[in-house]
Coordinates of all heavy atoms in Angstrom, one line a residue:
M377 N 251.2 163.0 260.6 CA 251.5 164.5 260.4 C 252.4 164.6 259.2 O 253.4 163.9 259.0 CB 252.2 165.0 261.7 CG 252.7 166.4 261.5 SD 253.4 167.2 262.9 CE 254.9 166.3 263.2
T378 N 252.0 165.5 258.3 CA 252.8 165.8 257.1 C 253.7 167.0 257.4 O 253.3 168.0 258.0 CB 251.8 166.2 256.0 OG1 251.0 165.1 255.8 CG2 252.6 166.5 254.7
W379 N 254.9 166.9 256.9 CA 255.9 168.1 257.1 C 256.8 168.0 255.9 O 257.0 167.1 255.2 CB 256.6 168.0 258.4 CG 257.6 166.9 258.5 CD1 257.3 165.6 258.9 CD2 259.0 166.9 258.2 NE1 258.4 164.9 258.8 CE2 259.5 165.6 258.4 CE3 259.8 167.9 257.8 CZ2 260.8 165.3 258.2 CZ3 261.1 167.6 257.6 CH2 261.6 166.3 257.8
A380 N 257.5 169.2 255.7 CA 258.5 169.3 254.7 C 259.5 170.4 255.2 O 259.1 171.2 256.0 CB 257.9 169.7 253.4
S381 N 260.7 170.4 254.6 CA 261.6 171.5 255.0 C 262.5 171.8 253.8 O 262.8 171.0 252.9 CB 262.5 171.1 256.2 OG 263.3 170.0 255.9
W382 N 263.0 173.1 253.8 CA 263.9 173.6 252.8 C 265.0 174.4 253.4 O 264.8 175.1 254.4 CB 263.2 174.5 251.8 CG 262.1 173.7 251.1 CD1 262.2 173.0 250.0 CD2 260.7 173.6 251.5 NE1 261.0 172.4 249.7 CE2 260.1 172.8 250.7 CE3 260.0 174.1 252.6 CZ2 258.7 172.4 250.8 CZ3 258.7 173.8 252.8 CH2 258.1 172.9 251.8
T383 N 266.2 174.3 252.9 CA 267.3 175.1 253.4 C 268.1 175.7 252.2 O 268.3 175.0 251.2 CB 268.3 174.2 254.2 OG1 267.6 173.5 255.2 CG2 269.5 174.9 254.7
T384 N 268.4 177.0 252.3 CA 269.2 177.7 251.3 C 270.4 178.2 252.0 O 270.3 179.0 253.0 CB 268.4 178.8 250.6 OG1 267.2 178.2 250.0 CG2 269.2 179.4 249.5
V385 N 271.6 177.9 251.5 CA 272.9 178.3 252.1 C 273.5 179.4 251.3 O 273.4 179.4 250.1 CB 273.8 177.0 252.1 CG1 275.2 177.4 252.7 CG2 273.2 175.9 252.9
G386 N 274.3 180.2 252.0 CA 275.1 181.2 251.3 C 274.4 182.4 250.8 O 274.7 183.0 249.7
I387 N 273.4 182.9 251.5 CA 272.7 184.1 251.2 C 273.4 185.3 251.7 O 273.6 185.3 253.0 CB 271.2 184.1 251.7 CG1 270.5 182.9 251.2 CG2 270.5 185.4 251.3 CD1 269.2 182.6 252.0
H388 N 273.7 186.3 250.9 CA 274.4 187.5 251.4 C 273.3 188.5 251.7 O 272.7 189.1 250.8 CB 275.4 188.1 250.5 CG 276.1 189.3 251.1 ND1 277.0 189.2 252.0 CD2 275.8 190.6 250.9 CE1 277.4 190.4 252.4 NE2 276.7 191.3 251.7
A389 N 272.9 188.6 253.0 CA 271.8 189.5 253.4 C 272.3 190.9 253.6 O 273.4 191.1 254.2 CB 271.2 189.0 254.7
R390 N 271.6 191.8 253.0 CA 272.0 193.2 253.1 C 271.8 193.7 254.6 O 270.9 193.2 255.3 CB 271.1 194.0 252.2 CG 271.4 193.7 250.8 CD 270.5 194.5 249.9 NE 270.6 194.0 248.5 CZ 271.0 194.8 247.5 NH1 271.4 196.0 247.7 NH2 271.0 194.3 246.3
P391 N 272.6 194.7 255.0 CA 272.5 195.2 256.3 C 271.0 195.7 256.7 O 270.4 196.3 255.9 CB 273.4 196.4 256.3 CG 274.4 196.1 255.3 CD 273.6 195.4 254.2
G392 N 270.6 195.3 257.9 CA 269.3 195.8 258.4 C 268.1 195.0 257.9 O 267.0 195.4 258.3
T393 N 268.3 194.0 257.1 CA 267.1 193.3 256.5 C 266.6 192.1 257.3 O 265.4 191.8 257.3 CB 267.4 192.9 255.1 OG1 268.4 191.9 255.1 CG2 267.6 194.0 254.2
V394 N 267.5 191.4 258.0 CA 267.0 190.2 258.7 C 266.9 190.4 260.2 O 267.9 190.7 260.9 CB 268.0 189.0 258.4 CG1 267.6 187.8 259.1 CG2 268.1 188.8 256.9
R395 N 265.7 190.3 260.7 CA 265.5 190.5 262.1 C 265.1 189.2 262.8 O 264.3 188.4 262.2 CB 264.3 191.5 262.3 CG 264.6 192.9 261.8 CD 263.5 193.9 262.0 NE 262.2 193.3 261.7 CZ 261.1 193.5 262.4 NH1 261.1 194.4 263.4 NH2 260.0 193.0 262.0
T396 N 265.8 188.9 263.9 CA 265.5 187.6 264.6 C 265.0 187.9 266.0 O 265.3 189.0 266.6 CB 266.8 186.8 264.7 OG1 267.7 187.4 265.6 CG2 267.4 186.6 263.3
E397 N 264.3 186.9 266.5 CA 263.8 187.0 267.9 C 264.9 187.0 268.9 O 264.9 187.8 269.9 CB 262.8 185.9 268.2 CG 261.6 185.9 267.4 CD 260.6 187.0 267.8 OE1 260.7 187.6 268.9 OE2 259.7 187.2 267.0
E398 N 265.9 186.2 268.7 CA 267.0 186.0 269.7 C 268.2 186.9 269.6 O 268.8 187.2 270.6 CB 267.4 184.5 269.7 CG 266.4 183.5 269.9 CD 265.6 183.1 268.6 OE1 265.9 183.6 267.5 OE2 264.7 182.2 268.7
A399 N 268.6 187.2 268.4 CA 269.8 188.0 268.2 C 269.6 189.4 267.6 O 270.6 190.0 267.3 CB 270.7 187.2 267.3
G400 N 268.4 189.8 267.4 CA 268.2 191.1 266.8 C 268.4 191.0 265.3 O 268.2 190.1 264.6
V401 N 269.0 192.1 264.8 CA 269.3 192.2 263.4 C 270.6 191.6 263.1 O 271.6 191.8 263.7 CB 269.3 193.7 262.9 CG1 269.6 193.8 261.4 CG2 267.9 194.4 263.2
I402 N 270.6 190.7 262.0 CA 271.8 190.1 261.6 C 272.0 190.3 260.1 O 271.1 190.6 259.4 CB 271.9 188.6 262.0 CG1 270.8 187.7 261.3 CG2 271.8 188.4 263.5 CD1 270.9 186.2 261.5
E403 N 273.2 190.1 259.6 CA 273.5 190.4 258.2 C 274.8 189.5 257.8 O 275.4 188.9 258.7 CB 273.8 191.8 257.9 CG 275.0 192.4 258.7 CD 275.1 193.9 258.6 OE1 274.3 194.6 259.1 OE2 276.1 194.3 258.0
G404 N 275.1 189.5 256.6 CA 276.2 188.8 256.1 C 275.9 187.5 255.4 O 274.8 187.3 254.9
D405 N 276.7 186.5 255.5 CA 276.6 185.2 254.9 C 275.7 184.3 255.8 O 276.1 183.9 256.8 CB 277.9 184.5 254.7 CG 277.9 183.2 253.9 OD1 276.8 182.9 253.4 OD2 278.9 182.5 253.8
L406 N 274.4 184.1 255.3 CA 273.4 183.5 256.1 C 272.8 182.2 255.4 O 272.9 182.1 254.2 CB 272.3 184.4 256.5 CG 272.6 185.7 257.2 CD1 271.4 186.6 257.3 CD2 273.3 185.4 258.5
T407 N 272.3 181.3 256.2 CA 271.5 180.2 255.8 C 270.1 180.3 256.3 O 270.0 180.7 257.5 CB 272.2 178.9 256.3 OG1 273.5 178.8 255.7 CG2 271.4 177.7 255.9
V408 N 269.1 180.1 255.5 CA 267.7 180.1 255.9 C 267.1 178.7 255.8 O 267.4 178.0 254.9 CB 266.9 181.2 255.2 CG1 266.8 180.9 253.7 CG2 265.6 181.4 255.8
H409 N 266.3 178.4 256.8 CA 265.7 177.1 256.9 C 264.2 177.2 257.2 O 263.9 177.9 258.2 CB 266.4 176.2 257.9 CG 265.8 174.8 258.1 ND1 266.1 173.8 257.2 CD2 264.9 174.3 258.9 CE1 265.4 172.7 257.6 NE2 264.6 173.0 258.6
T410 N 263.4 176.6 256.4 CA 261.9 176.7 256.6 C 261.4 175.3 256.8 O 261.7 174.4 256.0 CB 261.2 177.3 255.4 OG1 261.8 178.6 255.1 CG2 259.7 177.4 255.6
T411 N 260.6 175.1 257.8 CA 260.0 173.8 258.1 C 258.5 174.1 258.1 O 258.0 175.0 258.7 CB 260.4 173.2 259.5 OG1 261.8 173.1 259.5 CG2 259.7 171.9 259.7
W412 N 257.8 173.2 257.3 CA 256.3 173.4 257.2 C 255.7 172.2 257.9 O 256.0 171.0 257.6 CB 255.9 173.4 255.7 CG 254.4 173.4 255.5 CD1 253.5 174.4 255.8 CD2 253.6 172.3 255.1 NE1 252.3 174.0 255.5 CE2 252.3 172.7 255.1 CE3 253.9 171.0 254.8 CZ2 251.2 171.9 254.7 CZ3 252.8 170.1 254.4 CH2 251.5 170.6 254.4
S413 N 254.8 172.4 258.8 CA 254.0 171.4 259.4 C 252.7 172.0 260.0 O 252.7 173.2 260.4 CB 254.7 170.6 260.5 OG 255.0 171.5 261.6
E414 N 251.6 171.2 260.0 CA 250.4 171.6 260.6 C 249.9 173.0 260.1 O 249.4 173.8 260.9 CB 250.4 171.6 262.1 CG 250.7 170.2 262.6 CD 250.8 170.0 264.1 OE1 250.4 171.0 264.8 OE2 251.2 169.0 264.5
G415 N 250.1 173.3 258.8 CA 249.6 174.6 258.2 C 250.4 175.8 258.6 O 250.0 176.9 258.3
E416 N 251.6 175.6 259.0 CA 252.5 176.8 259.4 C 253.9 176.6 258.8 O 254.4 175.5 258.8 CB 252.6 177.0 260.9 CG 251.3 177.5 261.5 CD 251.5 177.8 263.0 OE1 252.3 177.1 263.7 OE2 250.9 178.7 263.5
A417 N 254.5 177.7 258.4 CA 255.9 177.7 258.0 C 256.7 178.3 259.1 O 256.5 179.5 259.5 CB 256.1 178.4 256.7
H418 N 257.7 177.6 259.6 CA 258.6 178.1 260.7 C 259.9 178.4 260.0 O 260.5 177.5 259.4 CB 258.8 177.0 261.8 CG 257.5 176.6 262.5 ND1 257.2 177.2 263.7 CD2 256.5 175.9 262.1 CE1 256.0 176.7 264.1 NE2 255.6 175.9 263.1
V419 N 260.4 179.7 260.1 CA 261.6 180.1 259.4 C 262.6 180.5 260.4 O 262.4 181.3 261.4 CB 261.3 181.3 258.5 CG1 262.5 181.7 257.7 CG2 260.1 181.0 257.6
A420 N 263.8 179.9 260.2 CA 265.0 180.2 261.1 C 266.2 180.5 260.2 O 266.2 180.2 259.0 CB 265.3 178.9 261.9
V421 N 267.1 181.2 260.8 CA 268.3 181.7 260.0 C 269.5 181.5 260.9 O 269.4 181.5 262.1 CB 268.1 183.2 259.6 CG1 268.0 184.1 260.7 CG2 269.1 183.6 258.6
Q422 N 270.7 181.3 260.3 CA 271.9 181.2 261.0 C 273.0 181.8 260.1 O 272.9 181.9 258.9 CB 272.3 179.7 261.3 CG 272.7 178.9 260.1 CD 273.2 177.5 260.5 OE1 273.5 176.8 259.5 NE2 273.2 177.1 261.7
Y423 N 274.1 182.2 260.8 CA 275.3 182.5 260.1 C 275.8 181.2 259.4 O 275.9 180.2 260.1 CB 276.4 183.1 261.0 CG 276.0 184.5 261.5 CD1 275.6 184.7 262.8 CD2 276.1 185.6 260.7 CE1 275.2 186.0 263.2 CE2 275.8 186.9 261.1 CZ 275.4 187.0 262.4 OH 275.0 188.3 262.8
T424 N 276.1 181.2 258.2 CA 276.4 180.0 257.5 C 277.6 179.4 258.2 O 278.6 180.0 258.4 CB 276.8 180.3 256.0 OG1 275.6 180.8 255.4 CG2 277.2 179.0 255.3
G425 N 277.5 178.1 258.5 CA 278.6 177.3 259.2 C 278.5 177.3 260.7 O 279.2 176.6 261.4
S426 N 277.6 178.2 261.2 CA 277.4 178.2 262.7 C 276.5 177.1 263.2 O 275.7 176.5 262.4 CB 276.8 179.6 263.0 OG 276.4 179.6 264.4
A427 N 276.5 176.9 264.4 CA 275.6 175.9 265.0 C 274.3 176.5 265.5 O 273.3 175.8 265.7 CB 276.3 175.2 266.2
D428 N 274.3 177.8 265.7 CA 273.1 178.5 266.3 C 272.1 178.9 265.3 O 272.5 179.5 264.3 CB 273.6 179.7 267.1 CG 274.5 179.4 268.3 OD1 274.2 178.4 269.0 OD2 275.5 180.1 268.5
W429 N 270.8 178.6 265.5 CA 269.7 179.0 264.7 C 268.9 180.1 265.4 O 268.7 180.0 266.6 CB 268.8 177.8 264.3 CG 269.4 176.9 263.4 CD1 270.1 175.8 263.7 CD2 269.4 177.0 261.9 NE1 270.6 175.2 262.5 CE2 270.2 175.9 261.4 CE3 268.9 177.9 261.1 CZ2 270.3 175.7 260.1 CZ3 269.1 177.7 259.7 CH2 269.8 176.6 259.2
F430 N 268.4 181.1 264.7 CA 267.6 182.1 265.2 C 266.2 182.2 264.5 O 266.2 182.1 263.3 CB 268.3 183.5 265.1 CG 269.7 183.5 265.6 CD1 270.8 183.6 264.8 CD2 269.9 183.4 267.0 CE1 272.1 183.6 265.3 CE2 271.2 183.4 267.5 CZ 272.3 183.5 266.6
T431 N 265.2 182.4 265.3 CA 263.8 182.5 264.7 C 263.7 183.9 264.1 O 263.9 184.9 264.7 CB 262.8 182.3 265.8 OG1 263.0 181.1 266.5 CG2 261.4 182.3 265.2
M432 N 263.2 183.9 262.8 CA 262.9 185.2 262.2 C 261.7 185.8 262.8 O 260.7 185.1 263.1 CB 262.8 185.0 260.7 CG 264.1 184.6 260.0 SD 264.1 184.6 258.3 CE 264.0 186.3 257.9
V433 N 261.8 187.1 263.0 CA 260.7 187.8 263.6 C 259.4 187.7 262.7 O 259.5 187.8 261.4 CB 261.0 189.3 263.7 CG1 259.7 190.2 264.1 CG2 262.1 189.5 264.8
G434 N 258.3 187.3 263.2 CA 257.1 187.0 262.5 C 256.8 185.6 262.2 O 255.7 185.2 261.8
S435 N 257.8 184.7 262.5 CA 257.7 183.3 262.2 C 257.0 182.6 263.5 O 257.3 183.0 264.6 CB 259.0 182.6 262.0 OG 258.9 181.2 261.8
P436 N 256.1 181.7 263.3 CA 255.7 181.0 262.1 C 254.6 181.9 261.4 O 254.0 182.7 261.9 CB 255.1 179.7 262.5 CG 254.6 180.0 263.9 CD 255.5 181.0 264.5
V437 N 254.4 181.5 260.1 CA 253.4 182.2 259.3 C 252.4 181.1 258.7 O 252.9 179.9 258.5 CB 254.0 183.0 258.1 CG1 254.8 184.1 258.6 CG2 254.7 182.1 257.2
P438 N 251.2 181.4 258.6 CA 250.2 180.4 258.0 C 250.6 180.1 256.6 O 250.8 181.0 255.8 CB 248.9 181.1 258.1 CG 249.1 182.3 258.9 CD 250.5 182.6 258.9
C439 N 250.6 178.8 256.3 CA 250.8 178.3 254.9 C 249.9 177.1 254.7 O 250.2 176.1 255.4 CB 252.3 177.9 254.6 SG 253.3 179.4 254.2
E440 N 248.9 177.2 253.9 CA 247.9 176.1 253.8 C 248.5 174.8 253.1 O 247.8 173.8 253.2 CB 246.7 176.6 253.0 CG 246.9 176.9 251.5 CD 247.6 178.2 251.2 OE1 247.8 179.1 252.1 OE2 247.9 178.5 250.0
S441 N 249.6 174.9 252.4 CA 250.1 173.7 251.7 C 251.6 173.6 251.7 O 252.2 174.7 251.9 CB 249.5 173.7 250.3 OG 250.1 174.7 249.5
E442 N 252.1 172.5 251.4 CA 253.5 172.3 251.2 C 254.1 173.2 250.1 O 255.1 173.9 250.3 CB 253.9 170.9 250.9 CG 255.3 170.6 250.7 CD 255.6 169.1 250.5 OE1 254.8 168.2 250.9 OE2 256.7 168.8 249.9
E443 N 253.3 173.3 249.0 CA 253.7 174.2 247.9 C 253.8 175.6 248.3 O 254.7 176.3 248.0 CB 252.8 174.0 246.7 CG 253.1 174.8 245.5 CD 252.2 174.7 244.3 OE1 251.2 173.9 244.4 OE2 252.4 175.3 243.3
A444 N 252.7 176.1 249.0 CA 252.7 177.5 249.5 C 253.9 177.7 250.4 O 254.5 178.8 250.4 CB 251.4 177.8 250.2
S445 N 254.3 176.8 251.3 CA 255.4 176.9 252.2 C 256.7 177.0 251.3 O 257.6 177.8 251.7 CB 255.5 175.8 253.2 OG 256.6 175.9 254.0
R446 N 256.9 176.2 250.3 CA 258.1 176.2 249.5 C 258.2 177.6 248.8 O 259.2 178.2 248.7 CB 258.0 175.1 248.5 CG 259.2 175.1 247.4 CD 260.5 174.9 248.2 NE 261.6 175.0 247.3 CZ 262.5 176.0 247.2 NH1 262.3 177.0 247.9 NH2 263.5 175.9 246.3
N447 N 257.0 178.1 248.3 CA 257.0 179.4 247.7 C 257.4 180.5 248.7 O 258.1 181.4 248.3 CB 255.7 179.7 247.0 CG 255.5 178.7 245.8 OD1 256.4 178.2 245.2 ND2 254.2 178.6 245.5
F448 N 256.9 180.4 249.9 CA 257.2 181.3 250.9 C 258.7 181.3 251.2 O 259.3 182.4 251.3 CB 256.4 181.1 252.2 CG 256.6 182.1 253.2 CD1 256.0 183.3 253.1 CD2 257.4 181.8 254.3 CE1 256.3 184.3 254.1 CE2 257.7 182.8 255.3 CZ 257.1 184.0 255.2
H449 N 259.3 180.1 251.4 CA 260.7 180.0 251.6 C 261.5 180.7 250.5 O 262.4 181.5 250.8 CB 261.1 178.5 251.6 CG 262.6 178.3 251.7 ND1 263.3 178.4 252.9 CD2 263.6 178.1 250.8 CE1 264.6 178.2 252.7 NE2 264.8 178.0 251.4
Q450 N 261.1 180.5 249.2 CA 261.8 181.2 248.1 C 261.7 182.7 248.2 O 262.6 183.4 247.9 CB 261.4 180.6 246.8 CG 262.2 181.1 245.6 CD 263.7 180.7 245.8 OE1 264.0 179.6 246.2 NE2 264.6 181.6 245.4
A451 N 260.5 183.1 248.5 CA 260.3 184.6 248.7 C 261.1 185.2 249.8 O 261.6 186.3 249.6 CB 258.8 184.9 248.9
V452 N 261.3 184.4 250.9 CA 262.2 184.9 251.9 C 263.6 185.0 251.4 O 264.3 186.0 251.7 CB 262.1 184.0 253.2 CG1 263.1 184.3 254.2 CG2 260.7 184.1 253.8
V453 N 264.1 184.0 250.8 CA 265.4 184.0 250.2 C 265.6 185.2 249.3 O 266.6 185.9 249.4 CB 265.7 182.7 249.5 CG1 267.0 182.8 248.7 CG2 265.8 181.5 250.5
E454 N 264.7 185.4 248.4 CA 264.8 186.5 247.4 C 264.8 187.9 248.2 O 265.5 188.8 247.8 CB 263.7 186.4 246.4 CG 264.0 185.3 245.5 CD 262.8 185.0 244.5 OE1 261.9 185.8 244.4 OE2 262.8 183.9 243.9
A455 N 263.9 188.0 249.2 CA 263.8 189.3 249.9 C 265.1 189.5 250.7 O 265.6 190.7 250.8 CB 262.7 189.2 250.9
M456 N 265.8 188.5 251.2 CA 267.1 188.6 251.9 C 268.1 189.1 250.9 O 269.0 189.9 251.3 CB 267.5 187.3 252.6 CG 266.6 187.0 253.8 SD 266.9 185.3 254.4 CE 268.6 185.5 255.0
R457 N 268.1 188.6 249.7 CA 269.1 188.9 248.7 C 268.9 190.3 248.1 O 269.8 191.0 247.7 CB 269.2 187.9 247.6 CG 269.8 186.6 248.0 CD 269.8 185.6 246.8 NE 270.4 184.4 247.2 CZ 270.1 183.2 246.7 NH1 269.1 183.1 245.8 NH2 270.7 182.1 247.1
D458 N 267.6 190.6 247.8 CA 267.3 191.7 247.0 C 266.5 192.8 247.8 O 265.5 193.3 247.2 CB 266.5 191.3 245.8 CG 267.2 190.2 245.0 OD1 268.4 190.3 244.8 OD2 266.5 189.3 244.4
A459 N 266.9 193.1 248.9 CA 266.2 194.0 249.8 C 265.9 195.3 249.2 O 264.9 196.0 249.5 CB 266.9 194.2 251.1
E460 N 266.7 195.8 248.2 CA 266.5 197.1 247.6 C 266.1 196.9 246.2 O 266.1 197.9 245.4 CB 267.8 197.9 247.7 CG 268.2 198.1 249.2 CD 269.6 198.7 249.3 OE1 270.2 199.1 248.3 OE2 270.0 198.9 250.4
E461 N 265.7 195.8 245.7 CA 265.4 195.6 244.3 C 263.9 195.7 243.9 O 263.5 195.4 242.8 CB 265.9 194.2 243.9 CG 267.3 194.0 244.0 CD 268.2 194.9 243.1 OE1 267.8 195.2 242.0 OE2 269.2 195.4 243.6
G462 N 263.0 196.1 244.9 CA 261.6 196.3 244.6 C 260.7 195.2 244.8 O 259.5 195.3 244.7
G463 N 261.2 194.0 245.2 CA 260.3 192.9 245.6 C 259.8 193.1 247.0 O 260.1 194.1 247.6
P464 N 258.9 192.2 247.4 CA 258.4 192.3 248.8 C 259.6 192.2 249.8 O 260.5 191.5 249.7 CB 257.5 191.1 249.0 CG 257.7 190.2 247.8 CD 258.4 191.0 246.8
S465 N 259.5 193.1 250.8 CA 260.4 193.0 251.9 C 260.1 191.9 252.9 O 259.0 191.3 252.9 CB 260.4 194.4 252.7 OG 259.2 194.5 253.4
L466 N 261.1 191.6 253.7 CA 260.8 190.5 254.7 C 259.7 191.0 255.7 O 258.9 190.2 256.0 CB 262.1 190.3 255.5 CG 263.2 189.5 254.8 CD1 264.5 189.4 255.7 CD2 262.7 188.1 254.4
Q467 N 259.7 192.2 256.0 CA 258.6 192.7 256.9 C 257.2 192.5 256.2 O 256.3 192.1 256.8 CB 258.8 194.2 257.2 CG 257.8 194.7 258.2 CD 258.1 196.2 258.6 OE1 259.1 196.7 258.3 NE2 257.1 196.8 259.3
E468 N 257.1 192.8 254.9 CA 255.9 192.6 254.2 C 255.5 191.1 254.1 O 254.3 190.7 254.3 CB 256.0 193.1 252.8 CG 256.0 194.6 252.7 CD 256.4 195.1 251.4 OE1 257.2 194.5 250.6 OE2 255.9 196.3 251.0
L469 N 256.5 190.2 254.0 CA 256.2 188.8 253.9 C 255.7 188.2 255.2 O 254.9 187.4 255.3 CB 257.5 188.0 253.5 CG 257.9 188.2 252.1 CD1 259.3 187.6 251.8 CD2 256.9 187.6 251.1
F470 N 256.3 188.7 256.3 CA 256.0 188.2 257.7 C 254.8 188.9 258.3 O 254.3 188.4 259.3 CB 257.2 188.2 258.6 CG 258.2 187.1 258.3 CD1 259.3 187.3 257.5 CD2 258.0 185.8 258.8 CE1 260.2 186.3 257.2 CE2 258.9 184.8 258.5 CZ 260.0 185.0 257.7
N471 N 254.4 190.0 257.8 CA 253.3 190.8 258.3 C 252.4 191.2 257.2 O 252.3 192.4 256.9 CB 253.8 192.0 259.1 CG 254.6 191.7 260.3 OD1 254.2 190.9 261.1 ND2 255.8 192.2 260.3
P472 N 251.7 190.3 256.5 CA 250.9 190.7 255.4 C 249.7 191.5 255.7 O 249.3 191.6 256.8 CB 250.4 189.3 254.8 CG 250.6 188.3 255.9 CD 251.6 188.9 256.9

């Protein structure tokens, strides 16, 4: 089985942008982690420095390759940072 993962620390998420299955909407200083395996990207988020991880609403998403998954991770990071800057929203990324 092939897999890969990426983690980005210290993302300041704007209010109301990050929705999780377990904790609802979270904001502030967050860390996002994406794991790719078997054609899917699994995305989780935590408050930076916390031990608890939360599944982002809409995860996992289909990703046909490691490169596509890496690009998806970066798009999620940018959407969390720039929710009002005109790029794709997290909702658009997770519900194409």
Side-chain angles (χ1 to χ4, degrees):
M377 172 172 67
T378 302
W379 68 275
S381 68
W382 299 273
T383 303
T384 303
V385 178
I387 303 165
H388 183 76
R390 295 179 190 241
T393 60
V394 179
R395 296 180 317 144
T396 70
E397 295 288 345
E398 301 86 358
V401 177
I402 63 175
E403 61 188 66
D405 185 9
L406 303 176
T407 297
V408 64
H409 179 80
T410 303
T411 302
W412 174 75
S413 68
E414 299 181 13
E416 291 184 323
H418 298 261
V419 185
V421 64
Q422 72 174 180
Y423 290 103
T424 299
S426 171
D428 297 320
W429 287 94
F430 306 110
T431 305
M432 291 189 69
V433 170
S435 180
V437 298
C439 279
E440 70 279 354
S441 69
E442 181 178 334
E443 180 180 0
S445 180
R446 175 66 182 105
N447 292 338
F448 183 76
H449 173 85
Q450 190 59 40
V452 169
V453 168
E454 290 172 13
M456 288 171 66
R457 285 183 178 147
D458 302 324
E460 299 171 6
E461 299 296 322
S465 70
L466 287 173
Q467 185 174 349
E468 292 168 327
L469 290 171
F470 283 96
N471 298 305

